[in-house]
DNA sequence: ATAACCTACAATCAAATGGTTGTAGATAGC
DNA sequence: GCTATCTACAACCATTTGATTGTAGGTTAT
């Protein structure tokens, strides 16, 4: 029941990290160009520490990675995490497809009863 | 700067709603079968009111919709919201592709300077 | 009508979030 | 060496979240 595995926690972190406009913007920027943490901070009106925390959160969700360059940390967007999120979304549509398949199966085998009780939408 | 439009708020709600294992499970269940709110509540160890609030949150994110059937409310998963989330993820990979394209363009026009300073990865 | 059930909503509470300031450690440049 | 810059991290604060219990209204069935 809601298993609460490591994968689930990672899914939590992923979607949680994406649920903030500043963080989404950071992901986009760091996908497009190289940014140090302070360079990112200059893009927003919030404090450096706030941006730093956003980056840390994104890093925990594996949406970005940091690598040191001299005294600064270069933030880099990670497409694999996006792929992971996409696969998670696929799971939802997969179970939806199961419903459709089941519905079709009932439609194509009307030997038992008429589908009058079918309350589609 | 981080525009904060209605679309952005909807994206916030969408990802926020997905950032919880119980809510993700509710979405899957309601995609697969019809569930009343109380039928959903019976699937989890938490209180009815807690599940009710989860459903309200999912409804605000348009991930599910409710329709009354007698005294109960039937919760139904909505694939369109999943598609919306997928499109949002597409945006990230789109800007990433821009980076790749730009990188290719530089590689194919080495007339200016040698790309020795290129710090790939 | 009465009992049982489903839902809605308010009040409450602990924990997490998003933000701030301040302090301290490294590194780069003069 | 000294200064400016970049980062990390702690402490703190307001708001939100996730959950609870309790109350009330509506629907179904007996």
């Amino acid at each position: 029941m809601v298993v609460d595995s490591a994968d689930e926690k990672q899914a939590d972190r992923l979607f949680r990290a994406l649920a903030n406009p500043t963080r989404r913007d950071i992901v986009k920027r760091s996908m497009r160009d190289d940014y140090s943490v302070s360079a990112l901070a200059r893009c927003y009106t919030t404090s450096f520490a706030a941006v730093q925390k956003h980056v840390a959160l994104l890093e925990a969700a594996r949406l970005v990675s940091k690598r040191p360059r001299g005294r600064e940390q270069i933030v880099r967007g990670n497409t694999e995490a996006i792929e992971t999120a996409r696969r998670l979304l696929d799971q939802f549509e997969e179970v939806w497809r199961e419903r459709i398949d089941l519905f079709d199966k009932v439609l194509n085998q009307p030997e038992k009863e008429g589908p009058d009780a079918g309350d589609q939408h």
Side-chain angles (χ1 to χ4, degrees), chain A:
Chain A
M1 187 189 295
V2 193
V3 284
D4 197 36
S5 67
D7 280 346
E8 287 292 297
K9 282 194 197 132
Q10 180 58 17
D12 287 3
R13 259 171 278 165
L14 230 187
F15 287 125
R16 191 79 191 72
L18 289 171
N20 177 287
T22 300
R23 285 197 292 265
R24 286 194 298 274
D25 195 69
I26 289 174
V27 172
K28 281 186 195 170
R29 285 179 187 275
S30 61
M31 288 270 202
R32 201 191 320 257
D33 299 303
D34 278 352
Y35 277 90
S36 67
V37 180
S38 58
L40 281 172
R42 275 180 235 114
C43 300
Y44 312 102
T45 55
T46 55
S47 68
F48 168 78
V51 174
Q52 197 179 23
K53 281 208 243 178
H54 280 312
V55 171
L57 232 149
L58 290 168
E59 199 179 12
R62 310 218 186 284
L63 275 160
V64 306
S65 58
K66 284 188 300 187
R67 77 172 185 289
R69 185 167 73 190
R71 65 182 158 182
E72 46 189 15
Q73 293 277 344
I74 304 302
V75 179
R76 183 90 189 227
N78 178 20
T79 49
E80 289 181 28
I82 303 291
E83 289 299 327
T84 301
R86 195 186 300 279
R87 274 193 295 276
L88 288 168
L89 295 183
D90 287 343
Q91 291 181 12
F92 294 108
E93 301 202 318
E94 195 175 314
V95 301
W96 178 73
R97 218 169 300 276
E98 287 175 27
R99 169 185 264 234
I100 299 299
D101 290 348
L102 188 63
F103 178 63
D104 284 351
K105 203 179 289 177
V106 171
L107 269 193
N108 296 332
Q109 298 180 351
E111 293 111 24
K112 301 220 166 198
E113 287 188 19
D116 299 78
D119 187 11
Q120 268 46 261
H121 192 125

